[in-house]
């Protein structure tokens, strides 16, 4: 987020400063911000991890995937990919299992 602020030469980032072309969303589970091209949610999103706490929350989410879905998540790398996918809005967990968007 700091790099984006520096690039845009501003102290704050909001919808108007992104000209409506981009959306910044904060994942409710991890607190990680994502930057998305408007209209392409889930396709061209990027995570903006700002500190080790957010990185640990992403790892914790990956661990949840490993525990809850051992028949699908067969490695630590796969678990991390599912966690990234959830933060970016590609997939989500339901009471009956995992779903992709």
């Amino acid at each position: 987020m700091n790099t984006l602020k520096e690039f845009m030469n501003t102290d704050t980032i909001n919808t108007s400063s992104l000209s409506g072309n981009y959306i910044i969303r904060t994942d409710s589970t991890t607190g990680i911000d994502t930057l998305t091209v408007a209209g392409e949610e889930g396709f061209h999103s990027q995570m903006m991890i700002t500190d080790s706490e957010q990185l640990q929350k992403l790892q914790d989410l990956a661990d949840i995937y490993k525990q809850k879905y051992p028949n699908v998540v067969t490695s630590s790398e796969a678990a991390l990919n599912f966690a990234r996918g959830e933060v970016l809005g590609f997939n989500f967990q339901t009471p009956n299992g995992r779903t992709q968007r």
Side-chain angles (χ1 to χ4, degrees):
M1 188 63 89
N2 288 334
T3 302
L4 185 59
K5 288 177 186 176
E6 185 177 319
F7 175 76
M8 296 179 69
N9 195 28
T10 184
D11 291 332
T12 59
I13 300 289
N14 55 44
T15 304
S16 62
S17 64
L18 297 175
S19 304
N21 295 323
Y22 299 91
I23 299 165
I24 293 180
R25 182 182 63 81
T26 303
D27 179 65
S28 60
T29 303
T30 61
I32 296 172
D33 291 324
T34 59
L35 178 67
T36 304
V37 176
E40 305 218 5
E41 293 80 0
F43 295 105
H44 300 288
S45 300
Q46 298 296 319
M47 288 189 299
M48 298 187 292
I49 296 176
T50 58
D51 58 31
S52 60
E53 183 178 329
Q54 286 181 338
L55 190 58
Q56 183 59 51
K57 286 183 180 182
L58 182 65
Q59 183 59 56
D60 292 344
L61 183 58
D63 292 341
I64 289 170
Y65 271 92
K66 282 189 337 191
Q67 293 168 4
K68 286 179 77 172
Y69 311 107
N71 58 328
V72 176
V73 180
T74 58
S75 69
S76 295
E77 293 80 13
L80 196 53
N81 282 334
F82 279 109
R84 285 184 189 128
E86 183 172 324
V87 170
L88 294 171
F90 298 142
N91 57 274
F92 56 95
Q93 300 176 59
T94 68
N96 299 325
R98 176 198 60 80
T99 288
Q100 289 185 317
R101 185 174 157 178

